Amino acid sequence: MVVETGLFALILALFIAAIQAVVPLIGASRGEASWMNVDRPAAAVLFALVTLSFGALMWAHVTSDFSVLNVIQNSHTDKPLLYKITGVWGSHEGSMMLWTFILTLYGMAVAVFGSNLPPGLRARVLSVQAMIAFGFILFILLTSNPFTRVYPPPLNGEGLNPLLQDPGLAFHPPFLYLGYVGFSMAFSFAIAALIDGRVDAAWARWVRPWTLVAWCALTLGVAMGSWWSYYTLGWGGYWAWDPVENASLMPWLAGTALLHSAIVAEKRDTLKAWTIFLAIITFSLSLLGTFLVRSGVLTSVHSFAVDPQRGVFILLLLTLFTGASLFLFALRAPALKAGGLFAPISREGGLLFNNVLLSIAAATILLGTLYPLFVDALGLGKISVGPPYFNTVFVPLMAPMILIMAIGPFLSWRRGDLEGALARLKLTFGVAVVTITVTVLIAGISSRALWASLGFGLAAWLFFGSLAEWSGRVGLFRRSFGDAMHRARHVPRSVYGMTIAHMGLAIVLAGITGSLAWKTEKLQVMRPGDSIMVAGYQIEFTGVDNDVKGPNYTASRATFIARKDGRFVAKMQPERRVYTNPPQDKSTVAIHTNFIDDLYAVFGEPDGKGGFVTHFFLNPLVPWIFFGAVVMVFGGMVSLSDRRHRIGAPIKKTRIASSVAAATAPTAGAAPSIEKKALLRGWIYLLPLLAFIVLAGFFIHRLQLASEGDTPNLIPSVMINKPAPAFNLPPLLADRPGLKTADLKGKVTLVDFFASWCVPCRAEHPVLRLVAQAGIRLVGINYKDKPTDAKAWLAELGDPYQAVASDMHGQTGINFGVYGVPESYLVDKNGVIRFKQTGPLTPEVVRDKLIPLAEKLER
């Protein structure tokens, strides 16, 4: 009955969302106060109904109600209570319920805390929010019903992916969604402003706190996801440029630009059209990420679903919200007055430069994520885009932005004094130069040390430049200490927030620089009693406990004692776990940190001779990355507490209608020139809409191909039943054979492309055992990888392949049609390709697709 109550509440919420979307909007257009006043009660009822529905789904998971299909697919009676709860949003259906719950939570927050908003604006904002909620509730009910019953119910469920049975899952997705969905508020304010025709300082001030909340949540969510990847997957890294990681970074970059643009719109009544545009784009990128990981257009280790039918519905929502908003923007934006003028060298100019670089960075990440699909759709071949591309294009964009971040706050509004600003940064410049010099002296002359010195120099420049701006503002070295502290108490909290957030970014930059420059790793076979040295640490392997019982797993736990200079440092106990349901392996790492560096231990496979593969990393300054992210979030929260974010600015109406009237009443002699400029300006505002139409058309094309069987998880139809391409690759391991085309004949074979730098490959690796256990011949091709790294990777995780070849330059992968690793190709006894899996193999794919097809091909 609880489940039916949840479904009924969700259906009822659909109707309430429709009422909230329509009635207040009509009331605002007619000036009917009674109709507008429907907005707040409707938002409260909508939130209550969605909360009831979400709570009913959570109750079904907690009580292990296996009459519900969603519970069967994602839970098990042996699963700890925490993971029963987090399993609610570990599935596609549950994650969409979480999305909708947070969406209505924001609407409720506007209803409660938006008493200072003009009634018309509030009514329009809540109506737009309700339109979004209506679309997602309808999507859940029609394509992703989490309350579907099963009869007769099974005795137990299938369990949750062991990688998701982690405390990080309890907090990472909610914070990530608080950020994604939070940008819907800026979007709703932007659409309301375009409808209302008023964009002024008051509007910008109302937008900023909601944008700050979303930005803080998304910053924390991205950092927590990176931390989860770092301590859960056992690869010693924290960012892999996975498509879903990219999907979270793009709205963060756009949201950061929006946050700074809103400052200019508030302070100087300019960049109004640009701020509106950024609000639309930021939320659209959040929707785009939802589409990419649920449609099957791209495959990722994080993907929730690969159902093209669901993808069509989400694409419809994306087209409706983004397309309609860009169309409205193209109609209304040209009539907005440009506002106050400013010189290129000014605070506005610095913030605009910041916006441009952040926007370009988001665009290059989007291009890199989708580029393989664009190239394939145009018939230009098949390529893969990996970390080298993203690192190459991202770093040059961020370096000048960080330089400007320290200078910008010293510049005045309208017209700044660059020479005077640089003069006030002389001490900061000296600290940066000293930092670069000391780094080179300590690390020596090498390309890596030079890059590291520049990274540390930039971090010092931003950190001490932020401090210099604050000290100059309070007169720390020009006044008495007491007077300076008195002035400090009257500095706005938003200024403190800016300073703290910028210093947090400097800490993150220092952490990334140190971790990339001086990471040390050592992989070897150890037996109990053996000791090794890792970057000055002596690590002793004391033994293994092979029968550690967990709530739903059995583990082998190794014990290592770390010492430095003979002093005890830490006892480290990494594990190798075997879960009972679903039956998968998982490694847990042991990390000892002193806040300067992390000693990171991974316990690998036995070698069959009494030894075990062990893998140790010393990761310098990695803790600074996550600490810096927390500092950034703290800075955002300090800024959010500024009283000015809780009151409206003096209302200076900038009516679009009056702007149009003014623009259409020029002097007779200037009319042709002004009309020509206005026409050109109108076409410029249409460009985003045209670009989106092209992108939407491409996605429709991909979904059409998917419905015909051509998805990233299947080989294109023209290649099905075609022989495997000709190749002859050298062996990766000296004592093992290489691989050539002829080796694929005689027995059904699965060809697996993998790389040591590939995080999804690590997630896939335990599943490969199921392939071997099913009697399918398994061979591996190491793709675009360093042989030494690949050998270490296999030594750590185990080698399930009968043969492993090296494809260092990726030509064989390109001939096969590899989009990106991992990818697997099932080849029949005659050497003909019959099946392709893009992305990591899962137990379900092996059980439901590979094994039945392999058995059929063997017969």
Side-chain angles (χ1 to χ4, degrees):
M1 188 63 184
V2 172
V3 172
E4 283 69 28
T5 301
L7 179 59
F8 178 74
L10 194 61
I11 294 172
L12 190 57
L14 182 71
F15 290 97
I16 298 298
I19 293 171
Q20 182 185 334
V22 174
V23 175
L25 190 62
I26 295 175
S29 64
R30 293 181 176 179
E32 293 282 349
S34 59
W35 287 41
M36 286 190 288
N37 290 336
V38 171
D39 58 354
R40 300 173 79 178
V45 173
L46 180 60
F47 172 69
L49 288 171
V50 172
T51 302
L52 176 61
S53 182
F54 188 58
L57 179 61
M58 187 173 293
W59 176 262
H61 275 260
V62 170
T63 58
S64 297
D65 184 353
F66 295 121
S67 67
V68 180
L69 179 60
N70 185 261
V71 180
I72 295 171
Q73 294 174 337
N74 299 281
S75 192
H76 191 274
T77 52
D78 292 337
K79 208 166 60 165
L81 177 61
L82 174 63
Y83 303 140
K84 288 183 178 180
I85 295 173
T86 60
V88 174
W89 50 79
S91 66
H92 161 73
E93 296 81 3
S95 69
M96 295 314 299
M97 285 294 296
L98 177 64
W99 176 287
T100 307
F101 168 74
I102 293 175
L103 183 67
T104 59
L105 174 64
Y106 274 107
M108 179 66 177
V110 171
V112 172
F113 301 108
S115 58
N116 64 325
L117 293 173
L121 177 63
R122 188 188 64 225
R124 290 183 174 94
V125 167
L126 288 176
S127 289
V128 176
Q129 281 289 109
M131 292 176 192
I132 301 171
F134 181 88
F136 276 94
I137 294 172
L138 188 63
F139 169 69
I140 293 172
L141 290 173
L142 295 183
T143 70
S144 310
N145 184 4
F147 300 107
T148 301
R149 291 281 196 180
V150 172
Y151 186 82
L155 295 177
N156 220 323
E158 299 174 3
L160 184 69
N161 186 335
L163 288 175
L164 303 182
Q165 295 185 38
D166 185 89
L169 186 68
F171 306 103
H172 163 54
F175 276 106
L176 202 64
Y177 282 17
L178 278 169
Y180 282 157
V181 183
F183 285 122
S184 68
M185 289 308 312
F187 174 84
S188 297
F189 271 94
I191 301 304
L194 290 174
I195 295 173
D196 184 39
R198 186 179 73 207
V199 182
D200 53 22
W203 175 87
R205 181 168 292 183
W206 287 319
V207 167
R208 279 184 65 192
W210 299 105
T211 305
L212 258 176
V213 169
W215 182 86
C216 290
L218 187 56
T219 302
L220 190 58
V222 171
M224 292 178 69
S226 179
W227 168 244
W228 173 84
S229 174
Y230 178 64
Y231 78 82
T232 298
L233 299 181
W235 62 302
Y238 46 83
W239 193 265
W241 296 106
D242 179 86
V244 177
E245 292 176 334
N246 296 347
S248 67
L249 184 59
M250 287 186 291
W252 184 87
L253 291 168
T256 305
L258 170 62
L259 198 58
H260 290 80
S261 179
I263 296 173
V264 180
E266 177 189 347
K267 301 289 187 182
R268 294 284 301 128
D269 197 31
T270 189
L271 296 184
K272 292 178 289 189
W274 175 248
T275 304
I276 293 281
F277 176 70
L278 282 177
I280 294 172
I281 291 300
T282 301
F283 182 59
S284 298
L285 288 172
S286 298
L287 291 177
L288 179 63
T290 301
F291 169 73
L292 291 178
V293 301
R294 287 174 169 83
S295 64
V297 169
L298 285 176
T299 304
S300 162
V301 68
H302 305 274
S303 295
F304 279 107
V306 288
D307 186 350
Q309 292 183 343
R310 288 172 174 169
V312 170
F313 202 110
I314 299 177
L315 181 60
L316 180 63
L317 293 177
L318 178 64
T319 302
L320 180 63
F321 295 134
T322 303
S325 60
L326 289 175
F327 179 72
L328 181 62
F329 175 77
L331 287 179
R332 295 296 194 120
L336 289 175
K337 288 184 177 179
L341 300 177
F342 58 88
I345 304 299
S346 63
R347 188 170 298 188
E348 298 98 318
L351 289 170
L352 181 59
F353 185 72
N354 157 295
N355 269 228
V356 170
L357 290 178
L358 287 169
S359 301
I360 293 174
T364 55
I365 294 173
L366 178 62
L367 176 64
T369 304
L370 299 180
Y371 189 68
L373 297 180
F374 287 140
V375 171
D376 181 46
L378 295 174
L380 301 178
K382 299 183 182 297
I383 67 166
S384 62
V385 176
Y389 161 82
F390 294 106
N391 293 333
T392 300
V393 300
F394 194 71
V395 172
L397 289 171
M398 292 299 100
M401 188 192 77
I402 291 169
L403 286 173
I404 297 298
M405 284 176 67
I407 300 173
F410 286 96
L411 298 176
S412 302
W413 295 105
R414 293 193 63 183
R415 185 179 300 276
D417 178 9
L418 180 59
E419 185 176 344
L422 293 176
R424 296 165 68 185
L425 283 166
K426 285 190 295 185
L427 180 60
T428 300
F429 179 75
V431 172
V433 170
V434 169
T435 301
I436 293 172
T437 304
V438 170
T439 303
V440 171
L441 291 176
I442 294 176
I445 303 297
S446 67
S447 60
R448 176 172 293 189
L450 290 175
W451 281 113
S453 66
L454 291 176
F456 282 126
L458 281 173
W461 168 260
L462 178 57
F463 188 91
F464 289 99
S466 301
L467 281 179
E469 194 277 335
W470 174 82
S471 65
R473 186 183 291 267
V474 302
L476 186 60
F477 300 109
R478 293 182 286 106
R479 302 172 182 270
S480 67
F481 182 77
D483 189 21
M485 292 300 99
H486 176 75
R487 292 172 63 89
R489 286 194 294 270
H490 292 85
V491 171
R493 292 184 185 178
S494 59
V495 173
Y496 277 108
M498 174 197 70
T499 302
I500 295 170
H502 286 187
M503 291 170 66
L505 180 60
I507 296 171
V508 171
L509 176 59
I512 293 173
T513 301
S515 66
L516 294 178
W518 295 302
K519 177 178 180 179
T520 302
E521 64 177 298
K522 195 167 185 179
L523 184 142
Q524 58 284 308
V525 173
M526 297 180 69
R527 293 174 174 78
D530 287 352
S531 295
I532 61 166
M533 294 296 296
V534 179
Y537 288 91
Q538 181 187 19
I539 301 175
E540 180 186 357
F541 183 16
T542 62
V544 180
D545 186 350
N546 287 313
D547 194 28
V548 178
K549 299 294 184 183
N552 58 340
Y553 64 84
T554 302
S556 295
R557 178 183 295 162
T559 300
F560 300 96
I561 303 298
R563 297 182 176 87
K564 192 167 188 178
D565 299 327
R567 294 181 292 103
F568 173 84
V569 174
K571 180 180 180 180
M572 307 179 71
Q573 294 184 306
E575 296 179 350
R576 289 192 60 83
R577 297 176 178 177
V578 179
Y579 284 79
T580 55
N581 200 308
Q584 292 185 33
D585 295 353
K586 174 188 172 184
S587 294
T588 64
V589 305
I591 302 175
H592 170 74
T593 183
N594 58 12
F595 194 69
I596 301 299
D597 51 40
D598 284 350
L599 186 59
Y600 187 105
V602 183
F603 180 49
E605 294 277 347
D607 68 347
K609 303 176 183 177
F612 298 86
V613 175
T614 59
H615 201 174
F616 295 96
F617 299 84
L618 187 72
N619 293 324
L621 301 185
V622 165
W624 289 27
I625 299 173
F626 307 113
F627 174 72
V630 173
V631 172
M632 291 170 66
V633 174
F634 178 69
M637 298 304 293
V638 170
S639 182
L640 187 64
S641 69
D642 194 314
R643 179 176 176 272
R644 292 182 301 171
H645 290 318
R646 300 192 295 274
I647 60 174
I651 298 176
K652 297 187 295 182
K653 295 185 178 180
T654 305
R655 287 286 179 180
I656 291 178
S658 61
S659 300
V660 172
T664 54
T667 60
S673 175
I674 293 178
E675 288 178 1
K676 185 176 180 181
K677 291 180 179 179
L679 182 62
L680 178 61
R681 190 180 179 196
W683 276 106
I684 290 174
Y685 287 109
L686 276 173
L687 289 178
L689 177 61
L690 296 176
F692 176 75
I693 290 173
V694 172
L695 185 63
F698 167 73
F699 285 140
I700 291 171
H701 170 69
R702 286 300 311 170
L703 290 173
Q704 177 63 31
L705 292 179
S707 66
E708 298 172 357
D710 176 12
T711 74
N713 290 67
L714 298 173
I715 219 161
S717 57
V718 296
M719 297 179 65
I720 289 178
N721 300 325
K722 298 296 183 181
F727 66 93
N728 188 355
L729 294 174
L732 176 68
L733 306 174
D735 58 341
R736 305 281 291 280
L739 196 64
K740 56 184 181 295
T741 307
D743 297 332
L744 303 183
K745 296 182 179 180
K747 185 175 177 59
V748 175
T749 303
L750 185 72
V751 182
D752 182 56
F753 284 84
F754 71 96
S756 65
W757 45 261
C758 162
V759 176
C761 297
R762 184 176 288 269
E764 176 194 63
H765 203 76
V767 182
L768 295 178
R769 293 183 179 182
L770 302 179
V771 177
Q773 292 170 3
I776 303 173
R777 183 170 183 257
L778 178 65
V779 299
I781 296 181
N782 184 232
Y783 180 71
K784 291 186 177 180
D785 202 0
K786 296 178 181 178
T788 53
D789 293 344
K791 293 174 185 177
W793 194 80
L794 287 175
E796 174 193 336
L797 299 180
D799 183 2
Y801 304 110
Q802 296 183 29
V804 189
S806 176
D807 184 21
M808 284 187 62
H809 303 292
Q811 186 58 51
T812 298
I814 291 173
N815 293 339
F816 265 87
V818 170
Y819 280 98
V821 287
E823 286 195 8
S824 305
Y825 297 79
L826 190 67
V827 182
D828 69 12
K829 293 184 289 186
N830 298 315
V832 177
I833 298 174
R834 300 294 188 178
F835 176 82
K836 172 187 176 183
Q837 168 72 16
T838 295
L841 288 167
T842 64
E844 293 76 21
V845 171
V846 174
R847 181 190 65 220
D848 300 334
K849 295 182 180 180
L850 276 184
I851 293 178
L853 181 57
E855 291 175 348
K856 179 180 178 181
L857 294 175
E858 284 289 356
R859 290 193 299 267

